[in-house]
Amino acid sequence: MTLEVIVLAAGKGTRMHSALPKVLHELAGRALLDHVLDTAAALEPVRTHVICGHGAAAVREHRGQAGDINWVEQAKQLGTGHAVSQALPHVQPESTVLVLYGDVPLIRTETLRALLGARVSDNLTLLTAKAINPTGYGRIVRDNAGAIRAVVEEPDATEAERQISEINTGFMAGTTEGLRSWLGKIDTANTQGEYYLTDVIGCAVHSGVEVVSVNCEDPFEIVGVNSRADLAKVERLFQSRQAESLMDAGLTLHDPARFDLRGQLAFEQDCVVDVNVVMTGTVNLGTRVSIGPNCQITDSEIGNGVEIRANSIVEGAKIADGCTVGPFARIRPGTTLAPGARVGNFVETKNASLGEDSKANHLAYVGDAQVGKRVNIGAGVITCNYDGANKHQTVIGDDAFIGSNSALVAPVTVGEGATVGAGSAVSRDVPSGQLALTRAEQKVRDGWQRPQKKKS
Ligand code: UD1
Ligand code: CA
């Protein structure tokens, strides 16, 4: 049987108090909806239908032109049952339909596989859970033999029904035909005046179709996002699970509660990450990489034995084996550090390559620059790459020495082995092996006296 997925994502998310549709709020750096669609994609459905309503245009735009989704607009949110029935005309009659939620992002593929695995002939499968606090959820009503009879929404439940601790997670799978016929029978005669998807359970039972429950063991998976507090809770759950699996795979995290990964991290043996580190995008670490406290690493490749010291920001960089970065370094996109290069405190680099064993240890800006091997860039050196209109390149040859507080006015080339004296403003090329010096000569006045403070 083919599988089709319906994702409910039309709700407003009133309690988010946001201009952004709820399903576009981010969990670990990605929209809630993207997490759900990834999970759905892992099940390889023939088609995924997303029910959108509030902020539909923004939601569709977020997903771009990827034509793998059938967008179904639900102009008015008349209830979860109404939402699913909007998609059914687009679903093939012989399919199994799986219902997911755009605001329940932590559901795992394995759990959904179990739910689908319980599907036989024309039965309906429902993911349920034992809740310590069932408040707010639909309750699973069973008969004396333990068979499911119905799902009752909390506002419609009797006092006795509210005591039931088994709850409806909302996730279900059934046949297109079954859902179509049951959804045709439901109405809005309930406390909330909505078309409840959950009413199909009772309909199925009435039509003699078996409803099978699959218990979700992990309460983490079914947490829905209705408020900013929920979003924060889901983020913490996600991050702590992720940190656990990274540690299981061999990463040292000094404090897993103070590490956030919003993307993908690959690492080799014996890497150590100190506290308050945030990684974003795709980050690759070689062996024995050490990341100090309070660092932000984004879309970067970091080689073996690299040390990123405290309070450094690294983005879009390639850092080769044995480099040292920071403390307080800012490595901006397009930076390449060759093996053994060192970038120290209060140094900013951008679109710059530093050759092997070159160093810029203190207070420098190296932008749009190509720096050779074993170059020393002194404290306070600035590549003046911008003339107010265009960016220009600075090229520094191997073994050059750039004295402290020099300004290299690009476009300019400092030849191999050349020296720039401290405090120079270099605006013409410096030939290899030569000394360039532009500072005013020092004068010493014989017999000069410091002014004295007048006595009053
Ligand atoms: C629903 C279930 C409840 C279950 C709970 C689990 C129903 C009637 N109740 O309740 O049994 O315990 O989920 O979290 O299904 N949506 C639409 N269009 C609509 C209405 C809702 O797309 O017309 C979307 C919402 O955006 C949301 C999801 O469906 O993502 C669930 O709707 P919501 O109103 O939050 O249902 P609950 O009251 O949580
Ligand atoms: Ca909800």
Side-chain angles (χ1 to χ4, degrees):
M1 221 182 212
T2 56
L3 172 68
E4 297 192 49
V5 171
I6 298 177
V7 180
L8 304 199
K12 186 172 183 192
T14 310
R15 284 196 279 147
M16 298 298 284
H17 301 291
S18 175
L20 196 66
K22 179 163 74 175
V23 293
L24 294 188
H25 281 261
E26 290 189 346
L27 162 65
R30 297 177 69 227
L32 294 173
L33 182 62
D34 293 339
H35 287 270
V36 174
L37 290 176
D38 272 6
T39 308
L43 297 167
E44 299 180 335
V46 295
R47 214 157 177 218
T48 297
H49 311 264
V50 177
I51 315 291
C52 51
H54 277 283
V59 174
R60 292 177 67 152
E61 193 185 296
H62 168 78
R63 289 296 295 189
Q65 290 309 308
D68 54 340
I69 291 168
N70 177 37
W71 298 97
V72 180
E73 197 136 347
Q74 185 195 24
K76 276 191 176 167
Q77 284 71 61
L78 302 178
T80 49
H82 180 259
V84 170
S85 54
Q86 301 308 293
L88 287 183
H90 306 273
V91 177
Q92 292 164 26
E94 68 281 5
S95 288
T96 282
V97 175
L98 171 68
V99 179
L100 305 183
Y101 298 83
D103 57 357
V104 186
L106 301 179
I107 190 77
R108 289 186 308 137
T109 308
E110 296 74 50
T111 306
L112 296 174
R113 285 218 172 90
L115 187 66
L116 292 168
R119 280 264 308 112
V120 283
S121 69
D122 62 352
N123 76 352
L124 180 67
T125 65
L126 188 62
L127 190 69
T128 64
K130 286 272 161 41
I132 300 164
N133 177 11
T135 309
Y137 288 99
R139 308 295 208 282
I140 309 296
V141 180
R142 293 180 183 266
D143 63 19
N144 291 336
I148 294 181
R149 301 301 303 172
V151 170
V152 195
E153 292 306 297
E154 182 165 273
D156 304 292
T158 62
E159 205 38 60
E161 284 165 344
R162 286 186 194 191
Q163 302 308 311
I164 298 170
S165 62
E166 190 185 11
I167 57 114
N168 173 34
T169 66
F171 294 90
M172 66 176 76
T175 61
T176 308
E177 286 314 323
L179 286 168
R180 192 168 284 158
S181 92
W182 305 319
L183 284 171
K185 290 180 187 141
I186 67 171
D187 58 29
T188 58
N190 53 57
T191 311
Q192 302 183 86
E194 290 177 6
Y195 293 99
Y196 289 164
L197 175 60
T198 43
D199 281 354
V200 304
I201 312 305
C203 292
V205 172
H206 277 287
S207 59
V209 166
E210 193 190 11
V211 179
V212 175
S213 67
V214 170
N215 183 54
C216 179
E217 302 286 343
D218 185 355
F220 158 86
E221 289 182 52
I222 58 159
V223 179
V225 175
N226 292 309
S227 63
R228 306 258 181 182
D230 290 341
L231 190 62
K233 177 176 165 186
V234 163
E235 179 77 33
R236 279 351 297 160
L237 283 165
F238 182 93
Q239 290 296 345
S240 72
R241 296 285 162 114
Q242 188 175 243
E244 256 169 56
S245 74
L246 291 168
M247 291 188 292
D248 282 347
L251 182 69
T252 292
L253 293 173
H254 281 331
D255 183 357
R258 284 184 286 169
F259 171 71
D260 285 62
L261 170 60
R262 301 169 190 152
Q264 304 301 316
L265 170 64
F267 58 91
E268 288 174 43
Q269 235 170 12
D270 296 321
C271 292
V272 176
V273 177
D274 212 323
V275 300
N276 296 330
V277 169
V278 177
M279 293 188 186
T280 308
T282 304
V283 176
N284 293 319
L285 308 180
T287 60
R288 294 169 286 101
V289 172
S290 141
I291 316 263
N294 310 320
C295 287
Q296 191 179 323
I297 317 277
T298 305
D299 292 321
S300 292
E301 259 175 59
I302 297 176
N304 300 332
V306 168
E307 200 182 328
I308 310 281
R309 294 182 181 156
N311 303 299
S312 294
I313 297 176
V314 176
E315 182 179 0
K318 276 193 178 162
I319 299 179
D321 298 352
C323 289
T324 308
V325 170
F328 294 100
R330 176 150 186 232
I331 308 295
R332 291 172 53 199
T335 297
T336 306
L337 304 185
R342 304 168 77 92
V343 174
N345 35 246
F346 307 106
V347 173
E348 175 179 346
T349 65
K350 185 217 70 171
N351 265 339
S353 60
L354 259 69
E356 275 175 41
D357 298 318
S358 284
K359 51 198 180 204
N361 275 338
H362 340 260
L363 301 154
Y365 172 62
V366 183
D368 299 308
Q370 198 184 310
V371 178
K373 301 175 184 171
R374 299 173 300 277
V375 170
N376 184 77
I377 295 180
V381 168
I382 304 289
T383 55
C384 309
N385 58 330
Y386 185 53
D387 59 13
N390 297 297
K391 297 280 169 71
H392 302 282
Q393 198 75 14
T394 299
V395 178
I396 302 175
D398 295 346
D399 300 297
F401 181 101
I402 316 296
S404 294
N405 221 28
S406 291
L408 304 176
V409 183
V412 73
T413 297
V414 177
E416 278 183 26
T419 301
V420 172
S424 296
V426 176
S427 51
R428 280 181 288 143
D429 290 355
V430 180
S432 299
Q434 304 284 305
L435 167 71
L437 199 59
T438 73
R439 61 178 184 247
E441 225 171 282
Q442 182 171 328
K443 292 181 180 122
V444 177
R445 300 252 175 91
D446 254 352
W448 179 81
Q449 296 275 315
R450 248 193 223 180
Q452 300 289 314
K453 197 165 176 124
K454 283 180 189 154
K455 283 183 181 135
S456 53

